[in-house]
Amino acid sequence: MQKYHPSIDVYAEHFDGSEEMRNKYWILHETKWNAQLGINEGDLFYLTSVRGNIEIRVGDWIIVKNENLPVEVMSDWEFKYNYEQSPITNNDTHRKISS
């Protein structure tokens, strides 16, 4: 058995729940309402994908392998454990990451 690691850099963006990011990544926003108690229990977010909707929370990371296709969502802890930041060039619009 041989050990392998990804040979490409990825781009990542820290999800903040803003309308700008929701529009950029086609993220659905839903408010969870508890009718019995008459209270808002919080906001739910779903990143739309060809593989189905992926639940995303404020503070999670959106991993992008090219400029237009989000491919993965990771928690803050998981992201910091698996990736380190690479130098950013002037052309980069996302945070460039090396694994």
Side-chain angles (χ1 to χ4, degrees):
M1 184 180 314
Q2 294 181 330
K3 182 178 179 180
Y4 293 91
H5 63 85
S7 60
I8 62 168
D9 286 340
V10 298
Y11 294 88
E13 199 161 356
H14 210 195
F15 180 60
D16 62 8
S18 68
E19 186 174 351
E20 179 183 345
M21 287 193 76
R22 292 192 320 256
N23 291 337
K24 180 178 182 179
Y25 291 107
W26 293 80
I27 294 174
L28 303 174
H29 175 230
E30 181 180 314
T31 300
K32 186 174 180 182
W33 180 258
N34 185 321
Q36 287 182 322
L37 297 177
I39 60 171
N40 176 355
E41 291 187 340
D43 295 317
L44 303 173
F45 299 97
Y46 298 96
L47 185 130
T48 56
S49 159
V50 294
R51 294 173 277 171
N53 293 341
I54 302 168
E55 186 174 351
I56 183 170
R57 293 175 177 87
V58 172
D60 285 353
W61 288 85
I62 300 170
I63 311 299
V64 180
K65 286 190 179 175
N66 68 43
E67 289 297 314
N68 300 313
L69 184 62
V71 294
E72 193 171 356
V73 172
M74 284 188 181
S75 70
D76 191 51
W77 179 88
E78 183 181 15
F79 177 80
K80 289 176 180 176
Y81 182 80
N82 288 302
Y83 292 97
E84 62 185 31
Q85 189 167 2
S86 295
I88 297 178
T89 65
N90 291 337
N91 298 346
D92 291 336
T93 57
H94 299 85
R95 182 176 174 189
K96 189 175 181 181
I97 308 296
S98 293
S99 54

